[in-house]
């Protein structure tokens, strides 16, 4: 059973545009929401993460928006660049579960010139 | 530091053959994980370990076995490979320090094809 639903499956954005990827979770016990970035042929790497005590976290051009009541969170990439072209995974985990992450199905982002 | 390394990088098996994938980490992490990545399925947890000598089942454990005899190594075994096990396998590790947002560090992956 998929506990984290991610959309869209793929996304094409022009250089300089805003990329938005959405995730919804079901388990209200989840309390940690990271985003991982994966380039072709590489393993995923942590990009940015948020805990539910804040509604937004920004690091450079990357922002996580979190809506606890709707059980949704999203990744916004401002001023998207060709170097941002990668697959992005949202994930979540309940507290006290030895860091077990439940991943979304991934979004393949292509930033065109 | 090499971080998380995986061997081999690629492997082709025939149905019924066995093999072992090796994961090693040099960050002294307590937790280690094996995932498989399939198109449209994301990353699914196969087995994980919370310390040397311990293992536990993840979301898709059937057909796989694991061992963690040393803290730095986590082995994934396929006793009788099946075409459904064709996938990219990732190993990851993390620390008990929850203040670091439970970040998992991933290896470069092993691409396995079962014919």
């Amino acid at each position: 059973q998929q506990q984290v639903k991610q959309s869209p499956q793929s996304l094409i954005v022009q250089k300089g545009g805003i990329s938005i990827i959405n995730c919804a979770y079901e388990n209200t016990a989840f309390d940690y929401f990271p985003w991982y970035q994966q380039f072709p042929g590489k393993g995923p790497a942590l990009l940015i993460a948020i805990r539910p005590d804040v509604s937004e976290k920004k690091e450079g051009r990357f922002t996580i928006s979190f809506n606890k009541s709707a059980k949704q969170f999203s990744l916004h990439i401002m001023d998207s660049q060709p170097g941002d072209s990668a697959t992005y995974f949202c994930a979540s985990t309940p507290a006290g579960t030895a860091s077990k992450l439940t991943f979304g199905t991934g979004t393949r982002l292509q930033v065109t010139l | 530091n090499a971080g998380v390394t995986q061997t081999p990088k690629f492997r082709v098996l025939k149905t019924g053959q066995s093999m072992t994938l090796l994961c090693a980490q040099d960050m002294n992490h307590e937790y280690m994980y094996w995932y498989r990545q399939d198109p449209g399925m994301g990353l699914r947890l196969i087995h994980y370990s919370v310390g040397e000598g311990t293992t536990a089942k993840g979301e898709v454990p059937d057909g796989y076995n694991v061992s963690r005899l040393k803290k730095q190594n986590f082995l994934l075994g396929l006793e009788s490979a099946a075409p459904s096990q064709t996938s990219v396998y990732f190993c990851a590790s993390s620390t008990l320090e929850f203040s670091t947002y439970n970040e998992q560090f991933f290896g470069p992956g092993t691409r396995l094809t079962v014919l």
Side-chain angles (χ1 to χ4, degrees):
Chain A
Q1 182 180 0
Q2 183 60 254
Q3 296 186 44
V4 180
K5 295 182 179 179
Q6 183 172 347
S7 63
Q9 196 170 31
S10 64
L11 183 61
I12 299 176
V13 173
Q14 279 195 326
K15 179 182 175 182
I18 302 173
S19 305
I20 301 174
I21 305 170
N22 301 300
C23 282
Y25 62 97
E26 300 171 358
N27 190 337
T28 56
F30 285 162
D31 79 336
Y32 168 61
F33 302 90
W35 286 88
Y36 280 77
Q37 180 187 53
Q38 183 182 30
F39 293 106
K42 304 291 185 184
L46 179 65
L47 179 65
I48 186 173
I50 195 170
R51 289 199 185 275
D53 52 347
V54 296
S55 60
E56 185 175 283
K57 181 172 182 180
K58 184 175 181 180
E59 289 185 2
R61 297 184 291 108
F62 300 89
T63 301
I64 301 179
S65 297
F66 183 78
N67 185 331
K68 189 174 182 178
S69 61
K71 293 189 288 184
Q72 295 175 347
F73 58 109
S74 59
L75 176 69
H76 295 236
I77 306 175
M78 310 300 288
D79 185 26
S80 298
Q81 299 296 314
D84 297 330
S85 297
T87 300
Y88 293 82
F89 293 95
C90 63
S92 57
T93 185
T97 56
S99 299
K100 278 173 57 180
L101 290 172
T102 299
F103 285 89
T105 52
T107 296
R108 192 164 187 172
L109 171 66
Q110 182 182 353
V111 180
T112 61
L113 293 173
Chain B
N1 290 347
V4 179
T5 58
Q6 293 182 233
T7 52
K9 288 185 169 51
F10 304 93
R11 185 72 185 269
V12 179
L13 289 178
K14 293 182 179 178
T15 296
Q17 287 184 318
S18 63
M19 78 163 294
T20 299
L21 281 68
L22 172 63
C23 175
Q25 54 94 4
D26 61 1
M27 296 174 284
N28 201 34
H29 284 172
E30 295 81 8
Y31 298 156
M32 296 188 74
Y33 315 82
W34 276 107
Y35 293 91
R36 61 177 290 173
Q37 183 176 19
D38 303 290
M41 303 291 288
L43 290 149
R44 292 182 293 168
L45 183 64
I46 305 172
H47 286 282
Y48 66 101
S49 168
V50 300
E52 182 178 317
T54 74
T55 63
K57 294 180 180 179
E59 181 185 355
V60 288
D62 294 342
Y64 304 96
N65 57 76
V66 288
S67 64
R68 183 117 181 252
L69 299 180
K70 294 182 179 180
K71 186 177 183 178
Q72 63 268 33
N73 295 337
F74 196 29
L75 278 62
L76 177 70
L78 286 74
E79 290 186 349
S80 179
S84 61
Q85 294 178 305
T86 293
S87 186
V88 181
Y89 291 85
F90 287 100
C91 177
S93 70
S94 67
T95 180
L96 277 171
E97 297 293 328
F98 290 101
S99 63
T100 59
Y101 280 98
N102 308 342
E103 179 178 1
Q104 291 190 14
F105 294 82
F106 284 79
T110 294
R111 184 173 293 276
L112 174 65
T113 301
V114 183
L115 302 176

